[in-house]
Amino acid sequence: MLYIGILIVVATIVLLVRQFETRLVLLGSGLLMCLLSGNILKGFDAFSARMGAGNLIEPICSAMGFAFILKLTGCDKHLINFLIKGLRPLRAIIIPATVVVVFLVAIALQSAAGISAAVGAILIPLLISMGVSRPFAGGAVLAGTFGVMLNPSYMHFSFVANLMKDGTTATQLVMHHVPYTLAALATISVTMWGLAKLMKEDRGCLDEASSEAKQEEFRIKPLYAMVPLVPLVILLLCAYPSIREAFPWTTKIRISHAMLIGAMVAMLISRVSPAKASSEFFNGMGKAYADIMGIIIGAAVFVAGMQTIGLVSAFNDLLMGVQSLAKIAISFGPFLMAVVTGSGEAAAMAFNEAVTPHAADMGLTIATMGTMAPLGGTLGRAMSPIAGACIICAGYAGVNPFEIAKRNALPTALGLIVAILVAFA
């Protein structure tokens, strides 16, 4: 059954690379594995569960609704043109600058999908307008989403701190891995920049829809240009403890709330018809569910199929037996699992639950193993074509998720290798 499962996974990858209908391929492969394992209902359950996954539906659909409002009012064009004029001197380093900016935003906003939805709506069109190819524009945003590794409230740190049982706090764990996380950031930024230059996709990739010649003639309205930033500013401010203490109600602000506020601000400033704005907002939400959530639902069924046929558990068992390569396995295990499953958190948590408690038996510390696992998972997610964040970025960029995954593969893999070298130097 494992061999059959591997063949199905390989066939799935081949079909996706050849750009067959993504939702059909993932859904069909997942259900086939469930059927062969004798538990077809597992696939159906995954389908139903992900259909109502509020933690994904809420940020994705609301962000796309807001994006439709921005397009209707033209606010997105005003911001893009404003930023292009200000960032034109930084054109040469716009790709690494984007990775770093998203990384910093991700420290406060933990959801990779939420970050991609909120930040991608601004930065991806900006990069495309500055001549960066669409795949690299989406990839630069996706690559920076592992900034959550510097947030002490990230769920893995509390879990690992409990495993240590010596009073170590989550904040201390963050400080423990800051050097190799920043090493990964520097490596990814520089490698992506160099790769884009080598492929000649760092400039000159303008199409008719994003012609700079047209944008230079555009008359910028400052208030319109500020509207796309409203949700992002709200979410960032509400992430700071001092703000939450001063205004307790800010702890309840969610991504969908910020997007709805942004939509109302856009409507008021542009004085567009409320009926038309409402229609566009919900059209955007429906478009997001069909195009983005549809792929995420298919991916959930695919992962369920791998679980029922035994691929996920077999992979975990394999890692437990590779003690001689433990330093590589603790990072590349979750990395590879995240690439295949699209979930950095799930991959790292599965590894930390099964392997990290045995760190001493491998000659390693729980602190290092426990933090390298989520780093590998978050970086693997940044190159997974079925990850929700990748699908969102691909949607904004207007490309197949695999195009983004191919651009991110080398930078994220090298970033992890450098992090391993720094961690175990």
PDB file of all heavy atoms in Angstrom, residues 26 63 67 128 141 148 162 180 226 252 266 298 312 323 337 417:
ATOM      1  N   LEU A  26      -6.033  16.971  -7.063  1.00  0.00           N
ATOM      2  CA  LEU A  26      -5.863  16.757  -5.624  1.00  0.00           C
ATOM      3  C   LEU A  26      -7.022  15.959  -5.039  1.00  0.00           C
ATOM      4  O   LEU A  26      -6.824  15.024  -4.251  1.00  0.00           O
ATOM      5  CB  LEU A  26      -5.748  18.106  -4.908  1.00  0.00           C
ATOM      6  CG  LEU A  26      -4.492  18.933  -5.200  1.00  0.00           C
ATOM      7  CD1 LEU A  26      -4.586  20.297  -4.533  1.00  0.00           C
ATOM      8  CD2 LEU A  26      -3.246  18.195  -4.731  1.00  0.00           C
ATOM      9  N   ALA A  63     -10.479  38.935   2.599  1.00  0.00           N
ATOM     10  CA  ALA A  63      -9.393  39.657   1.938  1.00  0.00           C
ATOM     11  C   ALA A  63      -9.670  39.813   0.445  1.00  0.00           C
ATOM     12  O   ALA A  63      -9.393  40.865  -0.145  1.00  0.00           O
ATOM     13  CB  ALA A  63      -8.067  38.933   2.155  1.00  0.00           C
ATOM     14  N   ALA A  67     -10.180  43.122  -1.753  1.00  0.00           N
ATOM     15  CA  ALA A  67      -9.424  43.342  -2.991  1.00  0.00           C
ATOM     16  C   ALA A  67     -10.351  43.773  -4.124  1.00  0.00           C
ATOM     17  O   ALA A  67      -9.994  44.632  -4.947  1.00  0.00           O
ATOM     18  CB  ALA A  67      -8.667  42.074  -3.372  1.00  0.00           C
ATOM     19  N   ILE A 128       4.795  43.442  -9.584  1.00  0.00           N
ATOM     20  CA  ILE A 128       4.469  43.219 -10.998  1.00  0.00           C
ATOM     21  C   ILE A 128       4.535  44.530 -11.771  1.00  0.00           C
ATOM     22  O   ILE A 128       5.052  44.585 -12.895  1.00  0.00           O
ATOM     23  CB  ILE A 128       3.064  42.596 -11.120  1.00  0.00           C
ATOM     24  CG1 ILE A 128       3.055  41.178 -10.514  1.00  0.00           C
ATOM     25  CG2 ILE A 128       2.621  42.554 -12.585  1.00  0.00           C
ATOM     26  CD1 ILE A 128       1.679  40.556 -10.453  1.00  0.00           C
ATOM     27  N   VAL A 141       6.720  37.351  -1.654  1.00  0.00           N
ATOM     28  CA  VAL A 141       5.804  37.510  -0.514  1.00  0.00           C
ATOM     29  C   VAL A 141       5.706  36.213   0.279  1.00  0.00           C
ATOM     30  O   VAL A 141       5.811  36.202   1.506  1.00  0.00           O
ATOM     31  CB  VAL A 141       4.405  37.945  -0.994  1.00  0.00           C
ATOM     32  CG1 VAL A 141       3.394  37.902   0.151  1.00  0.00           C
ATOM     33  CG2 VAL A 141       4.468  39.352  -1.583  1.00  0.00           C
ATOM     34  N   VAL A 148       7.078  34.339  11.543  1.00  0.00           N
ATOM     35  CA  VAL A 148       6.402  33.913  12.763  1.00  0.00           C
ATOM     36  C   VAL A 148       7.382  33.239  13.722  1.00  0.00           C
ATOM     37  O   VAL A 148       7.129  33.138  14.922  1.00  0.00           O
ATOM     38  CB  VAL A 148       5.236  32.953  12.405  1.00  0.00           C
ATOM     39  CG1 VAL A 148       5.785  31.648  11.841  1.00  0.00           C
ATOM     40  CG2 VAL A 148       4.359  32.686  13.610  1.00  0.00           C
ATOM     41  N   ASN A 162       7.295  23.144  27.378  1.00  0.00           N
ATOM     42  CA  ASN A 162       6.722  22.133  28.275  1.00  0.00           C
ATOM     43  C   ASN A 162       7.507  20.830  28.226  1.00  0.00           C
ATOM     44  O   ASN A 162       7.635  20.135  29.243  1.00  0.00           O
ATOM     45  CB  ASN A 162       5.249  21.875  27.913  1.00  0.00           C
ATOM     46  CG  ASN A 162       4.352  23.037  28.256  1.00  0.00           C
ATOM     47  OD1 ASN A 162       4.628  23.788  29.185  1.00  0.00           O
ATOM     48  ND2 ASN A 162       3.268  23.204  27.507  1.00  0.00           N
ATOM     49  N   TYR A 180      20.028  31.509  13.765  1.00  0.00           N
ATOM     50  CA  TYR A 180      19.855  30.714  12.553  1.00  0.00           C
ATOM     51  C   TYR A 180      18.589  31.043  11.795  1.00  0.00           C
ATOM     52  O   TYR A 180      18.487  30.764  10.596  1.00  0.00           O
ATOM     53  CB  TYR A 180      19.964  29.200  12.817  1.00  0.00           C
ATOM     54  CG  TYR A 180      19.268  28.622  14.014  1.00  0.00           C
ATOM     55  CD1 TYR A 180      17.977  28.161  13.926  1.00  0.00           C
ATOM     56  CD2 TYR A 180      19.941  28.476  15.226  1.00  0.00           C
ATOM     57  CE1 TYR A 180      17.347  27.570  15.010  1.00  0.00           C
ATOM     58  CE2 TYR A 180      19.318  27.894  16.331  1.00  0.00           C
ATOM     59  CZ  TYR A 180      18.030  27.449  16.217  1.00  0.00           C
ATOM     60  OH  TYR A 180      17.413  26.871  17.298  1.00  0.00           O
ATOM     61  N   MET A 226      -3.967  55.496   0.643  1.00  0.00           N
ATOM     62  CA  MET A 226      -3.857  55.018   2.025  1.00  0.00           C
ATOM     63  C   MET A 226      -4.851  53.898   2.342  1.00  0.00           C
ATOM     64  O   MET A 226      -4.630  53.110   3.259  1.00  0.00           O
ATOM     65  CB  MET A 226      -4.074  56.180   3.005  1.00  0.00           C
ATOM     66  CG  MET A 226      -2.965  57.222   2.974  1.00  0.00           C
ATOM     67  SD  MET A 226      -3.406  58.693   3.944  1.00  0.00           S
ATOM     68  CE  MET A 226      -3.667  57.961   5.558  1.00  0.00           C
ATOM     69  N   LYS A 252      -9.986  41.456  20.178  1.00  0.00           N
ATOM     70  CA  LYS A 252     -11.020  40.732  19.443  1.00  0.00           C
ATOM     71  C   LYS A 252     -11.041  41.070  17.953  1.00  0.00           C
ATOM     72  O   LYS A 252     -11.874  40.548  17.216  1.00  0.00           O
ATOM     73  CB  LYS A 252     -12.391  41.021  20.060  1.00  0.00           C
ATOM     74  CG  LYS A 252     -12.519  40.567  21.519  1.00  0.00           C
ATOM     75  CD  LYS A 252     -13.900  40.864  22.072  1.00  0.00           C
ATOM     76  CE  LYS A 252     -14.015  40.402  23.524  1.00  0.00           C
ATOM     77  NZ  LYS A 252     -15.349  40.670  24.094  1.00  0.00           N
ATOM     78  N   ALA A 266     -12.950  52.534   2.152  1.00  0.00           N
ATOM     79  CA  ALA A 266     -12.827  52.716   0.701  1.00  0.00           C
ATOM     80  C   ALA A 266     -14.124  53.252   0.115  1.00  0.00           C
ATOM     81  O   ALA A 266     -14.107  54.138  -0.749  1.00  0.00           O
ATOM     82  CB  ALA A 266     -12.453  51.392   0.045  1.00  0.00           C
ATOM     83  N   GLY A 298      -9.351  20.556  -1.843  1.00  0.00           N
ATOM     84  CA  GLY A 298      -8.766  19.420  -2.539  1.00  0.00           C
ATOM     85  C   GLY A 298      -7.481  18.958  -1.876  1.00  0.00           C
ATOM     86  O   GLY A 298      -7.213  17.756  -1.763  1.00  0.00           O
ATOM     87  N   VAL A 312       2.167   9.139   5.817  1.00  0.00           N
ATOM     88  CA  VAL A 312       2.590  10.094   6.839  1.00  0.00           C
ATOM     89  C   VAL A 312       3.232   9.380   8.026  1.00  0.00           C
ATOM     90  O   VAL A 312       4.308   9.756   8.497  1.00  0.00           O
ATOM     91  CB  VAL A 312       1.398  10.963   7.305  1.00  0.00           C
ATOM     92  CG1 VAL A 312       1.819  11.864   8.462  1.00  0.00           C
ATOM     93  CG2 VAL A 312       0.869  11.804   6.144  1.00  0.00           C
ATOM     94  N   GLN A 323      19.091   8.185  13.186  1.00  0.00           N
ATOM     95  CA  GLN A 323      19.780   8.909  14.249  1.00  0.00           C
ATOM     96  C   GLN A 323      21.128   9.442  13.788  1.00  0.00           C
ATOM     97  O   GLN A 323      21.588  10.487  14.260  1.00  0.00           O
ATOM     98  CB  GLN A 323      19.957   8.005  15.467  1.00  0.00           C
ATOM     99  CG  GLN A 323      18.634   7.614  16.114  1.00  0.00           C
ATOM    100  CD  GLN A 323      18.829   6.901  17.435  1.00  0.00           C
ATOM    101  OE1 GLN A 323      19.912   6.893  17.987  1.00  0.00           O
ATOM    102  NE2 GLN A 323      17.765   6.301  17.939  1.00  0.00           N
ATOM    103  N   MET A 337       7.859  17.198   4.712  1.00  0.00           N
ATOM    104  CA  MET A 337       6.453  16.947   5.010  1.00  0.00           C
ATOM    105  C   MET A 337       5.604  18.164   4.691  1.00  0.00           C
ATOM    106  O   MET A 337       4.483  18.054   4.182  1.00  0.00           O
ATOM    107  CB  MET A 337       6.287  16.545   6.476  1.00  0.00           C
ATOM    108  CG  MET A 337       6.787  15.151   6.811  1.00  0.00           C
ATOM    109  SD  MET A 337       6.579  14.749   8.562  1.00  0.00           S
ATOM    110  CE  MET A 337       4.787  14.785   8.704  1.00  0.00           C
ATOM    111  N   ILE A 417      19.517  25.005   4.868  1.00  0.00           N
ATOM    112  CA  ILE A 417      20.865  24.433   4.985  1.00  0.00           C
ATOM    113  C   ILE A 417      21.771  25.379   5.777  1.00  0.00           C
ATOM    114  O   ILE A 417      22.516  24.949   6.674  1.00  0.00           O
ATOM    115  CB  ILE A 417      21.463  24.170   3.593  1.00  0.00           C
ATOM    116  CG1 ILE A 417      20.722  23.008   2.920  1.00  0.00           C
ATOM    117  CG2 ILE A 417      22.951  23.835   3.691  1.00  0.00           C
ATOM    118  CD1 ILE A 417      21.109  22.778   1.480  1.00  0.00           C
TER     119      ILE A 417
END
